[in-house]
Amino acid sequence: MTLPKNMHLQFLLATAALVLFILILQLILPMVIHSKIWEIVAFMAITSFLISLLNAFLLKNFGENFFQIMVLAMILRFIASLVFIGLEVWPEMENIILFIADFFIVFLFYLIFDIYAFLSNLRPISK
């Protein structure tokens, strides 16, 4: 079985797999899942999707600035994540450590997906 070629469909399948994994973990080990996990997943899915659309647009129009565009995407995702964590933790949330741990795991999941997408779209370097 091969993955579909469409990156949007791959993104949807990866998000569905993450949601299924979270649902299973909530049934088996509910103490490791924070109550705001669905806000975390929604935020990361929306942010990653919008950044991938921005990347595609910028790479299409300014392909010679590949490195700068990829760094911009990483910086945008990092700043958006810090703002999200700050806004969620500010009103004295319960169990902050679990929230940040769950956020970090979901963040890494989407980061790994972005690295996979990046590597699968690289062209061979010709000399």
Side-chain angles (χ1 to χ4, degrees):
M1 183 174 154
T2 62
L3 287 174
K5 299 287 184 205
N6 186 346
M7 285 308 285
H8 299 299
L9 187 56
Q10 288 180 356
F11 181 80
L12 181 66
L13 290 173
T15 302
L18 177 65
V19 167
L20 182 64
F21 181 69
I22 291 170
L23 286 172
I24 291 170
L25 270 180
Q26 276 186 329
L27 292 174
I28 297 172
L29 297 168
M31 71 290 270
V32 298
I33 302 295
H34 195 273
S35 61
K36 293 192 177 241
I37 189 69
W38 301 116
E39 292 177 24
I40 295 170
V41 171
F43 169 77
M44 286 306 300
I46 291 168
T47 303
S48 293
F49 183 73
L50 291 177
I51 287 176
S52 71
L53 289 179
L54 178 66
N55 267 359
F57 172 75
L58 290 175
L59 288 172
K60 181 180 175 185
N61 293 322
F62 307 103
E64 65 276 358
N65 298 330
F66 179 77
F67 179 73
Q68 290 87 353
I69 292 170
M70 298 311 284
V71 170
L72 173 69
M74 287 187 289
I75 291 171
L76 285 175
R77 181 176 290 114
F78 183 70
I79 290 173
S81 297
L82 288 178
V83 169
F84 177 77
I85 290 172
L87 290 175
E88 288 292 323
V89 172
W90 184 267
E92 298 184 17
M93 170 190 297
E94 292 181 19
N95 210 348
I96 294 173
I97 301 297
L98 182 61
F99 175 81
I100 292 175
D102 286 350
F103 184 88
F104 183 69
I105 291 169
V106 173
F107 182 86
L108 283 179
F109 175 82
Y110 280 104
L111 184 66
I112 289 170
F113 179 80
D114 284 342
I115 291 170
Y116 165 76
F118 171 72
L119 291 176
S120 67
N121 290 327
L122 282 179
R123 293 184 184 135
I125 298 172
S126 59
K127 295 183 179 184

